[in-house]
Amino acid sequence: MASLSRRLCLLGGITVAASPLLPRPLRAQEEIDLSPAQPHRVRAQKVEEAIRLLPRDLRLANAGKLTVATNPGRFPFGGYATDSRTPIGAEIDIAQLVADSLGLTLEVVPTAWADWPLGLISGKFDAVTSNVTVTEERKQRFDFSTYRNDLLGFYVAVESRLQAIAKPEDVAGLKVIVSSGTNQEQILLRWIEANRAKGLPNTEVQYYDDEAVLDLALQSGRADAYLGPNATSAFKAARQRKTRLVGTFSGGWPVTAEIAVTTKKGVGLAEPITVALNAQIEAGTYARALGRWNLSAEAIQRSRTNPPGLPPK
């Protein structure tokens, strides 16, 4: 994925990401290895500094293993291989780098998005890599080790007359699809409220649990745009060539948001994982892992433990 030029403009005292220069589409699916064996997955050497930071009384879900939950819902973050049962994707590759760094065997647990908090708290697994954004609310129960910037994208049907969505005013009068309970939903709702205060036309928000129905709504014109994680939408657009990108901005708009490896608060895994990630950033394995799935535009310069998160809703 080409590097994203991020120009910022000040609109009404709020910083908004402009998007005249958009990331190029992800490569087509056939160019990406979807085999269960994953022979080209990037592996890492042990990081002794990270291993020394592991608590002596640490109790892992499975001895000798780092058990990591992920939601194999959409590529490139995570999905199932061609055998329809092996989870693969960028999130699994990051988990592999962490496990290798800590001298542990990776155990991947496919988990529904709604189930990861309870599973982590109960000790069913040790960590989560599932596109989890750092928020102040989540920091009350979980620890975080960042590994990717959170980037959102607006996508429209290829034949749509919409060319750019770069600021709140651009969604006025549109019908926009978004997933319920997500950060992007909260951002969209704030945009709508700001537009309403300015007397602008209302935005109709649409929700779909079935992706096929979502696609049909976009293609038929029942909806004007879809707002979601940029990488998943770009991957899909490259495969199907039915949608195109018209705008990107931070998932924490108007502030920068980061995605992180999530662990149970206070168990002592966050700092070792952060050290492990920084070692892989310096070694270049991190960049190679993201590059496999065209997520280079979302790379961070350095991992942080429990950085400032998105404010409470």
Side-chain angles (χ1 to χ4, degrees):
M1 194 171 182
S3 61
L4 175 65
S5 296
R6 295 182 178 176
R7 296 196 294 121
L8 300 179
C9 60
L10 197 62
L11 297 167
I14 302 175
T15 303
V16 183
S19 54
L21 297 176
L22 302 175
R24 67 174 175 81
L26 295 178
R27 294 171 299 183
Q29 184 183 21
E30 59 267 22
E31 297 180 35
I32 296 176
D33 177 20
L34 298 180
S35 69
Q38 290 292 287
H40 302 298
R41 176 175 289 164
V42 182
R43 302 298 297 269
Q45 298 296 317
K46 292 182 181 179
V47 178
E48 296 300 333
E49 180 184 359
I51 294 173
R52 286 195 296 270
L53 289 173
L54 291 172
R56 292 186 178 181
D57 60 350
L58 178 65
R59 297 183 63 180
L60 296 170
N62 298 286
K65 296 181 179 181
L66 184 69
T67 304
V68 180
T70 192
N71 176 24
R74 287 186 176 182
F75 285 116
F77 297 144
Y80 287 103
T82 51
D83 64 356
S84 300
R85 63 176 181 272
T86 303
I88 62 172
E91 302 291 43
I92 290 86
D93 284 9
I94 290 294
Q96 185 70 70
L97 291 181
V98 172
D100 287 347
S101 299
L102 299 178
L104 299 169
T105 301
L106 177 64
E107 179 81 17
V108 177
V109 179
T111 305
W113 169 260
D115 295 339
W116 71 257
L118 180 59
L120 199 55
I121 291 173
S122 67
K124 182 178 180 180
F125 33 80
D126 308 305
V128 175
T129 56
S130 193
N131 202 42
V132 181
T133 303
V134 181
T135 71
E136 288 301 314
E137 185 177 7
R138 287 171 179 162
K139 281 168 63 178
Q140 295 178 18
R141 294 188 296 169
F142 307 106
D143 286 327
F144 295 95
S145 302
T146 60
Y147 63 92
R148 193 161 42 76
N149 285 315
D150 185 355
L151 193 65
L152 300 177
F154 277 103
Y155 280 77
V156 300
V158 170
E159 302 301 325
S160 171
R161 284 188 267 184
L162 284 171
Q163 296 301 314
I165 298 177
K167 57 187 183 297
E169 291 86 347
D170 292 339
V171 301
L174 298 184
K175 294 171 288 187
V176 180
I177 301 171
V178 73
S179 295
S180 178
T182 61
N183 291 325
Q184 55 264 30
E185 179 196 28
Q186 294 303 313
I187 292 170
L188 180 62
L189 294 178
R190 293 203 302 271
W191 282 23
I192 294 170
E193 188 62 31
N195 288 341
R196 185 177 294 120
K198 296 177 182 178
L200 296 175
N202 189 43
T203 300
E204 179 185 318
V205 182
Q206 298 182 5
Y207 302 95
Y208 298 99
D209 293 327
D210 189 316
E211 188 171 352
V213 177
L214 184 159
D215 292 341
L216 180 60
L218 203 57
Q219 296 303 319
S220 67
R222 290 206 309 270
D224 298 305
Y226 167 71
L227 172 60
N230 178 69
T232 54
S233 296
F235 188 92
K236 184 176 179 180
R239 283 188 301 166
Q240 300 181 357
R241 294 179 172 82
K242 293 182 179 180
T243 56
R244 56 182 173 81
L245 178 66
V246 294
T248 61
F249 57 95
S250 171
W253 182 92
V255 298
T256 300
E258 290 184 88
I259 303 299
V261 178
T262 309
T263 53
K264 183 179 179 180
K265 193 170 186 65
V267 299
L269 271 173
E271 192 57 31
I273 290 175
T274 297
V275 170
L277 287 167
N278 282 325
Q280 302 314 324
I281 289 173
E282 293 174 7
T285 50
Y286 164 81
R288 288 166 51 205
L290 290 190
R292 286 190 71 216
W293 301 96
N294 291 295
L295 288 173
S296 300
E298 302 184 12
I300 60 174
Q301 297 300 310
R302 190 158 186 82
S303 177
R304 297 185 293 168
T305 300
N306 293 329
L310 299 183
K313 300 175 183 178

